Amino acid sequence: MTAHKTYWLEHAWLGTHVEPGVALDVNTDGRIAAVRTGAGAQTPPPGAEVLRGLTLPGLANAHSHAFHRALRGTVQVGSGTFWTWRDFMYKVAQNLTPDTYFALARAVYAEMALAGITNVGEFHYVHHAPGGAPYADPNAMGEALIEAAAAAGIRITLLDTAYLSAGFGQAPNQHQLRFSDGTAEAWAERVGALKPREHALIGAAIHSVRAVPAGQLATVARWAEEREAPLHVHLSEQTAENDACQAAHGRTPTQLLADHGVLGPRTTGVHNTHLTDADIALLGGTTTGTCMCPTTERDLADGIGPAVRLQHAGSPLSLGSDSHAVIDLLEEARAMELNERLSSRTRGHWTANSLLAAATADGHAALGRPDAGRLEAGALADFTTIALDSVRTAGPLPRLGAETAVFAATASDVRHTVVAGRHVVRDGAHTLLQDVPSALADAIATLRS
C-alpha cells in the first residue's frame, strides 16, 4: 500500500527517547506505513505536513464518565464527601436524554481532542429513561456516546456497565433505576446488540462489587471473555465499600472478583486505592490492569493508591480523567508521580518515559487497542503534538522533551491532534467543532434548565 501522506515531526518521542527530525508516512487505511529517522529525515520532505514541537502517540483516556463534566466547578462549593458528591451527580444524571447526552459528550470528547486524547474509555451506565423504562432503542444512550465520539473525531471503547443494585443486598434506589437492567443476563442481552465500528469498540464493565451481586459477576466476565473484550471495574475506591464487602462476604472486593473469575489480563481495576497486600498480589499475579485517576482521586479525597507496588507486582498502569475535574492526561501522569513523592517523601518512582507509556500504549491496550499508542510502522496513525515554546515548556533542551511533557506541559500546550492520519486539532483549534467552549456551556446549561 502506497503512503498517501507524510508528516514531518520536528521532534518525536519514540518510546525510549526523543528523536529530532522524523518523517512519518501514513497509509490510506489510517495506519503508519513507515517511520524514517536519521540524515534523510532531518529536513521536511517535499509535500510533507510539518508539525513543530514534540509529537507523542495519541493519549488514551482509559476512564471517563462524560456527563460528570457538567459537575466541574459546581461540586467544588463548600465541603462534603464522596457520597455527597454522588448525590449531586445523580441529579445531573436524571436530566440526561439521548439528545442532551450526545450534545454534552460531543463537546467533552472535543475537549479531549484539544488535550491530545485520541481514544477514550467511556464507563457508561446511564442506560434507560428516568424510572428505568427502556428507550425504544434500548441502547439509545450508548449509541449517542458512540456517535458523539465520531462527531468529535476521536476513538471510543464503550465500556457498557452492569449496575444492578444500590449496595450489597439492596435494590436500586430511585436514581439508579435508569442504570439497571435488572439482571446480568438482561444486561448481556442488551449489550449484545451493540456493534463495533471503525472508531468504536464495545467492552464491558462491572460498576463495582456493591452494584453487581456476587452471583452475577461471572455472567459479565463470561460475556467479555467470549468476545475477548476489555472488562473494567471500579475497585476499592472507598474504604466504606471495602467494609461493606467484608461484612457481606467475608473478603475484600479484590478477593471477591477473583473468586468469580473477573480478574485477568483483559481486566482493568479503576482506582485500586485501598488494597491489602494479598489484593496487590492477586491483581499483579493475574496481570489485571490498574487505571489511576489522580485528579479525581484527589478531588474526591479518595486517597493515594499503591500504584508503585501494583506495577512492581505485575499490574500494568493506565490513566483516566474520570469525573473530568480537569481533562489533562499530562497532569494525570504528573500527579501519579507527585502523589507518590508526597506519600513516600522520595522522588523518581517512574521515569518520564514510563509515565508517558501509561498515558499512551498501556492506556490504549487497556481499551482493547494494542495497535495504538506507538509511533511505529503498522500502528494506528494517532498522534499529538505539544508546543516546546510556550511559557510552560520553553527552555529545556528538546532531548528532554519527555520530561518537559510530563513535568511542565499541560493540555493547553497541545497544538495538533491527528486520528487515523487526519487532523482533528490543527494549531490548537478543533476542526470539526468550531467553538468547543460554547458547545460545553450550552450543553451543560441545557442540563440545568
Side-chain angles (χ1 to χ4, degrees):
M1 183 178 293
T2 303
H4 87 290
K5 190 167 191 176
T6 297
Y7 286 92
W8 184 78
L9 318 179
E10 184 181 27
H11 302 281
W13 181 70
L14 299 182
T16 58
H17 67 287
V18 172
E19 184 80 17
V22 175
L24 209 64
D25 298 326
V26 177
N27 283 330
T28 54
D29 65 353
R31 291 183 179 271
I32 297 172
V35 179
R36 294 181 280 132
T37 62
Q42 291 306 295
T43 57
E49 182 146 3
V50 175
L51 302 183
R52 297 285 178 187
L54 174 69
T55 297
L56 310 170
L59 305 176
N61 188 352
H63 189 66
S64 162
H65 303 291
F67 77 92
H68 289 191
R69 175 61 178 80
L71 306 176
R72 186 185 294 178
T74 305
V75 291
Q76 314 304 331
V77 177
S79 60
T81 67
F82 168 87
W83 308 103
T84 56
W85 171 91
R86 188 178 70 160
D87 288 340
F88 193 89
M89 177 270 289
Y90 284 155
K91 294 176 183 177
V92 173
Q94 286 299 102
N95 292 332
L96 292 170
T97 67
D99 289 341
T100 61
Y101 208 2
F102 169 82
L104 176 60
R106 178 183 59 174
V108 173
Y109 296 155
E111 182 182 356
M112 291 185 192
L114 289 168
I117 293 164
T118 58
N119 190 15
V120 59
E122 184 60 40
F123 200 102
H124 164 56
Y125 55 82
V126 186
H127 302 305
H128 308 300
Y135 289 102
D137 174 1
N139 286 305
M141 295 293 270
E143 292 288 352
L145 291 165
I146 291 171
E147 292 307 313
I154 70 171
R155 302 183 195 273
I156 185 172
T157 297
L158 186 74
L159 299 162
D160 196 287
T161 305
Y163 193 139
L164 308 174
S165 57
F168 298 98
Q170 300 176 35
N173 64 34
Q174 61 174 342
H175 301 294
Q176 297 163 341
L177 289 172
R178 69 181 310 191
F179 307 163
S180 177
D181 292 292
T183 66
E185 289 77 10
W187 167 86
E189 182 178 357
R190 177 183 56 75
V191 179
L194 285 165
K195 302 302 179 188
R197 265 136 270 195
E198 182 180 355
H199 79 290
L201 300 180
I202 308 301
I206 293 164
H207 180 273
S208 55
V209 292
R210 73 177 184 272
V212 177
Q216 300 186 58
L217 292 170
T219 299
V220 183
R222 188 164 52 250
W223 186 95
E225 182 179 6
E226 289 171 352
R227 291 158 179 79
E228 299 185 349
L231 173 61
H232 289 214
V233 54
H234 289 135
L235 181 56
S236 288
E237 181 180 5
Q238 293 290 322
T239 54
E241 179 177 86
N242 286 0
D243 295 342
C245 189
Q246 285 282 2
H249 296 289
R251 63 204 67 197
T252 67
T254 301
Q255 292 168 328
L256 187 67
L257 293 174
D259 290 346
H260 292 275
V262 175
L263 304 184
R266 282 194 305 277
T267 300
T268 297
V270 180
H271 304 301
N272 294 0
T273 308
H274 302 285
L275 303 176
T276 66
D277 292 345
D279 292 340
I280 292 171
L282 269 174
L283 293 168
T286 55
T287 61
T288 300
T290 294
C291 180
M292 301 296 291
C293 306
T295 65
T296 289
E297 290 150 5
R298 72 192 185 196
D299 182 51
L300 297 179
D302 287 343
I304 300 171
V308 172
R309 295 177 61 202
L310 282 160
Q311 188 170 49
H312 287 168
S315 178
L317 298 180
S318 56
L319 296 165
S321 62
D322 193 1
S323 67
H324 312 313
V326 297
I327 293 177
D328 188 340
L329 261 287
L330 300 174
E331 171 61 18
E332 303 294 345
R334 175 164 54 246
M336 188 163 69
E337 166 66 24
L338 298 186
N339 282 353
E340 283 290 340
R341 293 183 185 186
L342 286 173
S343 178
S344 66
R345 291 181 290 176
T346 60
R347 303 177 77 220
H349 301 277
W350 293 277
T351 65
N353 287 333
S354 296
L355 293 167
L356 285 179
T360 57
D362 294 340
H364 289 289
L367 298 178
R369 297 248 187 214
D371 55 348
R374 295 178 177 85
L375 298 181
E376 61 183 37
L380 293 171
D382 299 354
F383 43 91
T384 187
T385 303
I386 295 170
L388 294 179
D389 58 357
S390 76
V391 292
R392 289 165 294 278
T393 61
L397 295 171
R399 64 180 175 80
L400 299 176
E403 288 76 10
T404 303
V406 171
F407 293 106
T410 73
S412 297
D413 296 309
V414 171
R415 293 294 174 263
H416 308 286
T417 301
V418 174
V419 179
R422 298 184 294 272
H423 258 96
V424 176
V425 173
R426 186 189 297 274
D427 296 320
H430 202 283
T431 63
L432 302 177
L433 193 59
Q434 291 187 346
D435 190 346
V436 178
S438 291
L440 285 163
D442 292 346
I444 293 168
T446 298
L447 290 178
R448 290 176 180 160
S449 62

